[in-house]
Amino acid sequence: MKTSMILNVVLAIALVFLCYMLAVNGNDKGKDVETSEVVLNNILNRTSVRSYQDKPVEKEKIEKLLRAGMAAPTAVNKQPWHFIVVTDKNQLQKLSEANPYAEMAAKAPLAIVVCGDMDKALEGEAREFWVQDCSAATENILLAATGMELGAVWTGTYPSKERCAAVAKVLGLPESLIPLNTIVIGYPDKEVTPKDKWKKENISYNMYGEE
């Protein structure tokens, strides 16, 4: 009798434990699916926002944007970037004048100028990987902005020598820093609908032209 009772108790405990593990694993799988959907939706909902509320971006959000940028992939982990955070109204006005495509900076609360640091870049032909690295950092910042309900737009500077020189002058950049772009950021003052850019004709499988 005692052996039978002990066996029943053990089986009951094992059954409870099994149900618990199934529930936990099921929840984890549900969370994985939910997380992947959130990430994908954030990517698909990102869009260029060019007008903003008269409201500053909080310091903690600025730091999160920068952390997202620095989490980007980088060749040989060189991290050849430097970020200039601009919140001063006079500087934002000057940036809007330095780049004709960044004119919205004059009415924005924040801009982040993403620069390539040539002192950290690879040597020889690999030097140009800084453009890819800083571009990846830029996209991370844009996606982070979307996730925090901020609006942002990527305005190109490099490789235009004229724009690079103008932005460098405004920011007092040393020769070792090349401004890749200016990301203008703020709280959107209106809803902007993202474009559907999915095009099957832009895809090939295994070899060019194969569907």
Side-chain angles (χ1 to χ4, degrees):
M1 288 291 292
K2 290 183 179 179
T3 302
S4 177
M5 288 177 64
I6 292 172
L7 182 59
N8 287 338
V9 170
V10 171
L11 289 173
I13 293 173
L15 181 60
V16 170
F17 179 75
L18 178 61
C19 291
Y20 170 78
M21 291 302 296
L22 288 172
V24 170
N25 289 334
N27 287 338
D28 285 345
K29 289 180 180 178
K31 288 179 181 177
D32 290 343
V33 172
E34 181 181 343
T35 300
S36 65
E37 286 300 313
V38 169
V39 172
L40 183 59
N41 286 336
N42 191 54
I43 293 171
L44 295 177
N45 286 327
R46 188 219 61 79
T47 189
S48 297
V49 176
R50 296 177 172 83
S51 58
Y52 319 96
Q53 300 176 37
D54 184 16
K55 176 183 177 181
V57 177
E58 298 85 344
K59 288 184 178 180
E60 56 269 25
K61 287 193 175 183
I62 295 175
E63 181 174 326
K64 287 180 180 179
L65 293 172
L66 297 170
R67 285 181 177 273
M70 293 184 197
T74 163
V76 199
N77 196 33
K78 283 293 186 178
Q79 304 175 37
W81 44 52
H82 190 90
F83 304 92
I84 309 291
V85 179
V86 182
T87 56
D88 180 81
K89 285 295 184 182
N90 290 331
Q91 285 292 80
L92 288 166
Q93 177 64 44
K94 291 177 181 178
L95 282 177
S96 74
E97 296 168 358
N99 182 347
Y101 296 97
E103 61 181 1
M104 73 291 296
K107 296 183 179 180
L110 170 67
I112 297 177
V113 181
V114 182
C115 303
D117 188 340
M118 296 304 101
D119 288 340
K120 300 176 185 176
L122 293 166
E123 297 181 358
E125 291 184 353
R127 180 177 183 268
E128 292 304 309
F129 278 121
W130 77 265
V131 177
Q132 297 182 36
D133 294 349
C134 290
S135 294
T138 300
E139 181 68 4
N140 273 14
I141 291 172
L142 294 173
L143 292 175
T146 300
M148 290 188 281
E149 298 185 342
L150 293 167
V153 60
W154 176 336
T155 65
T157 303
Y158 182 86
S160 168
K161 292 181 179 179
E162 182 180 353
R163 292 184 213 168
C164 285
V167 171
K169 183 178 180 181
V170 169
L171 301 176
L173 300 180
E175 290 185 3
S176 59
L177 293 186
I178 301 175
L180 177 71
N181 60 54
T182 297
I183 309 172
V184 186
I185 306 167
Y187 285 95
D189 65 356
K190 59 184 177 182
E191 186 174 348
V192 181
T193 304
K195 299 180 180 69
D196 183 358
K197 298 180 180 180
W198 170 258
K199 293 181 180 179
K200 292 183 69 174
E201 61 268 27
N202 289 339
I203 306 168
S204 296
Y205 291 92
N206 299 314
M207 291 186 67
Y208 176 73
E210 292 191 5
E211 298 182 0

